[in-house]
Amino acid sequence: MGRQAIVFTKSLGEMAKALNSDLTPAEKLDLLVRTASRALGVRGCSLMLLDARRKKLIRAATHGLSERYLRAGVLEADKSLPEIMEGKTAVVTDVATDPRIQFGEIARREHIASIIGVPVTYRGEVVGSLRAYNRIRREFTAAEEEFLIAVANLAATVLEASGALHLAERPAGARAKNTLAKPGLRSPVRAVTFAHPSEEDFARLLDFYQIEWVYEPRSFMLQWEGDKVTEMFTPDFYLPGLDLYIEMTTLKPGLTSEKNRKIRRLRELYPDIKIKLLARRDYDRLLAKYGHGPLAGAKTEGVGRILFSADQIQMRVRQLAKEISRDYEGRRILLVGVLRGMLCFMADLMRYLEVPADVDFMAISYYGSGDGGEAVRITKDLDVSPRGRHVVLVEDIVDTGMTLSFVLAHLQSRHPASLAVCTLLDKRVRRLTEVPLAYVGFEVPDEFLVGYGLDYREEYRNLPFIALVKQEVGKLDVDG
Ligand code: IMP
Ligand code: MG
């Protein structure tokens, strides 16, 4: 036997042994891709599963790939090496020139020069793909292909035992409306059927902010006896750009504790998985902000408790201006405000600054603002070019972070010399998208706030203090 044949045989032996052990399924899959990478002498390997709609590839295990590569985005099954979906092996000998590569530029930067991908099949149907990434341009041998197919078969065994291939088999009653494609059935592309209207609303909101999502991406095993899975969990959403799973709870309080238990278990078993629980109530409030959902019609009954008095605000704004003046000493800054909530804050802040500051404004469309448009867009751009400038973006409040991350990406693309964010209020607990905040006035609770520029449907903006709004009893039941 040649040296490579010995390595392959030994590796397959190790893998078979691991499959027979008490490792968790996730650990088994990790071991498979790691051992395969070593045996093939490649940079890395990834095992990807088709999502329930057979459109996207969700990674189930990877080895040797950088965060940057993994976050490049979701691979579309029909764009990225599509022949794999027909059960064929795909070989890319030169990533630089091959059109079948979805994120070619990133692959090149990662020094991935060639790729071999084989289908992962279960009962004769393609359920995913196993790929090996090489640093150098080259062909792959028949032995290497055969080896990778053997590993893919082992992976399919783990996946099958874990229940990950049985997305369609759910407890009776649960997700009854969901017509998930059984991975075992080749089916035409289906439209997503959401189990709950609030999930669909949420997907639209994500679409608006151009945040990529996958619905019910994969299942995690929570409990098993031997090879029999006794408990599974399928989060509602996966946001690949944020590498974040989201579970929306629309259940009654009694059932919420059961779900919390599952999420705790998920976190124990899969410590690398980031998952966020979005409770129905929180979610309804999130949508109400944009005038959608069941709470959209909630009437206000004036302002409630005052969180920050006019004096407290002035004191804090003066401190922030001091910090900024110190950090930017000797430089001229460009203050950028996103209309309109920041107007009081910006006006006060600029008067306390001790460094020269220009000001400019932009405006963006809001979700549900009714001016058409499927996605967030800039309705008023800067008049001053930010190129080469020290830009300080001034915000009233950062909530989910979706607005800010969009604005920051836009500003960054215009090559400022530096870019920092100064926000008066930080509603941390509601953050979905992490955004770097250099200056924060106050951290605030998850309540709807008005005054000092902040409005509730254009009301209360001109109050000199920041307060909670009193809502109709039983609706938002914000404290009064
Ligand atoms: P984000 O995209 O969810 O971070 O939303 C940020 C924007 O939502 C802010 O710039 C505000 O215009 C608005 N917003 C968020 N929370 C509040 C609030 O409590 N009162 C008023 N406006 C808010
Ligand atoms: Mg704003």
Side-chain angles (χ1 to χ4, degrees):
M1 261 200 300
R3 206 190 73 82
Q4 195 185 44
I6 295 171
V7 171
F8 285 171
T9 310
K10 248 180 102 175
S11 302
L12 286 173
E14 275 168 35
M15 295 183 203
K17 196 169 154 199
L19 259 50
N20 222 350
S21 74
D22 60 358
L23 289 178
T24 66
E27 288 167 341
K28 287 177 183 174
L29 294 177
D30 278 346
L31 182 134
L32 290 184
V33 290
R34 193 171 63 238
T35 310
S37 302
R38 291 219 188 98
L40 289 165
V42 293
R43 170 178 177 142
C45 279
S46 74
L47 172 69
M48 280 173 291
L49 266 186
L50 271 176
D51 75 321
R53 282 169 289 136
R54 308 185 58 83
K55 288 191 76 173
K56 314 221 178 203
L57 290 161
I58 312 291
R59 77 190 125 98
T62 60
H63 174 77
L65 299 173
S66 82
E67 258 322 275
R68 183 173 57 176
Y69 189 68
L70 296 175
R71 290 192 184 187
V74 162
L75 293 174
E76 311 275 340
D78 59 350
K79 288 198 193 105
S80 168
L81 308 183
E83 58 271 52
I84 295 178
M85 289 305 112
E86 281 149 32
K88 295 182 198 139
T89 296
V91 174
V92 176
T93 49
D94 186 359
V95 164
T97 56
D98 203 300
R100 291 168 301 169
I101 301 297
Q102 209 185 327
F103 301 109
E105 185 47 43
I106 295 164
R108 277 195 294 283
R109 266 194 269 139
E110 289 290 295
H111 306 292
I112 291 168
S114 54
I115 302 176
I116 178 170
V118 299
V120 175
T121 57
Y122 174 65
R123 293 191 184 158
E125 293 297 335
V126 179
V127 294
S129 106
L130 178 66
R131 297 165 186 214
Y133 306 86
N134 214 334
R135 286 189 190 82
I136 50 169
R137 278 194 296 267
R138 69 161 168 100
E139 296 283 349
F140 292 85
T141 65
E144 286 173 320
E145 180 186 354
E146 246 171 71
F147 171 74
L148 207 57
I149 290 172
V151 179
N153 275 311
L154 293 179
T157 314
V158 178
L159 291 166
E160 131 75 2
S162 77
L165 302 184
H166 290 287
L167 286 168
E169 290 169 19
R170 288 170 199 247
R175 319 248 174 206
K177 280 195 292 172
N178 198 328
T179 55
L180 281 171
K182 224 188 209 148
L185 298 172
R186 176 80 43 109
S187 56
V189 174
R190 286 164 209 241
V192 190
T193 310
F194 291 96
H196 195 276
S198 64
E199 294 172 348
E200 186 166 356
D201 275 341
F202 186 59
R204 282 217 200 96
L205 180 65
L206 293 171
D207 277 346
F208 183 79
Y209 285 100
Q210 298 169 8
I211 295 173
E212 207 176 354
W213 54 269
V214 184
Y215 184 60
E216 303 201 317
R218 62 179 273 207
S219 299
F220 295 91
M221 292 144 280
L222 297 184
Q223 207 100 242
W224 51 91
E225 285 154 20
D227 267 350
K228 197 166 144 269
V229 177
T230 53
E231 187 170 34
M232 297 225 308
F233 182 70
T234 310
D236 296 316
F237 286 93
Y238 177 60
L239 314 182
L242 314 174
D243 191 20
L244 176 70
Y245 289 86
I246 292 197
E247 174 64 12
M248 303 185 60
T249 63
T250 52
L251 300 166
K252 298 192 177 67
L255 295 167
T256 309
S257 65
E258 168 67 6
K259 194 162 256 182
N260 284 335
R261 183 191 62 77
K262 283 192 168 191
I263 296 217
R264 264 201 311 280
R265 176 123 182 98
L266 177 80
R267 287 186 173 134
E268 273 165 31
L269 289 173
Y270 308 86
D272 297 338
I273 295 286
K274 275 199 290 169
I275 181 157
K276 200 176 165 106
L277 208 68
L278 200 56
R280 168 67 181 270
R281 201 187 123 77
D282 296 337
Y283 173 67
D284 286 345
R285 291 168 55 172
L286 181 64
L287 272 190
K289 187 175 100 173
Y290 306 101
H292 283 261
L295 301 180
K299 287 198 180 57
T300 63
E301 296 174 343
V303 296
R305 188 157 64 87
I306 293 178
L307 275 193
F308 306 106
S309 69
D311 284 348
Q312 281 174 312
I313 297 171
Q314 287 308 310
M315 227 150 67
R316 188 69 189 118
V317 174
R318 195 182 310 199
Q319 284 168 349
L320 289 173
K322 254 213 167 69
E323 284 178 42
I324 295 173
S325 304
R326 192 192 57 216
D327 295 349
Y328 289 86
E329 203 187 327
R331 281 176 283 181
R332 183 182 189 89
I333 60 179
L334 173 61
L335 296 175
V336 171
V338 181
L339 295 167
R340 296 183 289 252
M342 53 69 239
L343 75 107
C344 296
F345 179 40
M346 174 96 108
D348 285 336
L349 185 75
M350 59 191 276
R351 279 180 285 182
Y352 290 127
L353 285 175
E354 290 155 26
V355 288
D358 299 345
V359 296
D360 202 357
F361 301 94
M362 39 189 294
I364 61 172
S365 60
Y366 277 96
Y367 183 68
S369 58
D371 58 357
E374 300 269 278
V376 60
R377 64 198 162 74
I378 292 159
T379 53
K380 183 214 168 297
D381 207 343
L382 296 175
D383 294 321
V384 176
S385 167
R387 180 178 274 275
R389 303 293 306 266
H390 294 288
V391 175
V392 177
L393 185 73
V394 178
E395 264 288 18
D396 48 353
I397 183 165
V398 183
D399 187 5
T400 63
M402 293 194 288
T403 311
L404 188 56
S405 68
F406 171 78
V407 171
L408 283 179
H410 172 72
L411 288 173
Q412 203 73 64
S413 74
R414 299 183 61 186
H415 309 289
S418 67
L419 179 58
V421 180
C422 173
T423 182
L424 179 64
L425 306 173
D426 179 6
K427 216 186 263 183
R428 266 233 71 88
V429 290
R430 293 230 300 188
R431 196 77 82 254
L432 281 178
T433 313
E434 274 319 313
V435 276
L437 303 179
Y439 309 94
V440 175
F442 305 101
E443 196 170 310
V444 293
D446 182 9
E447 303 283 6
F448 202 84
L449 309 173
V450 292
Y452 195 64
L454 294 168
D455 71 308
Y456 178 73
R457 311 222 183 116
E458 297 306 324
E459 256 191 286
Y460 310 112
R461 247 192 233 289
N462 59 335
L463 296 174
F465 48 80
I466 293 173
L468 307 179
V469 258
K470 263 197 224 164
Q471 302 279 356
E472 258 179 310
V473 187
K475 282 271 192 168
L476 290 185
D477 53 62
V478 165
D479 118 9

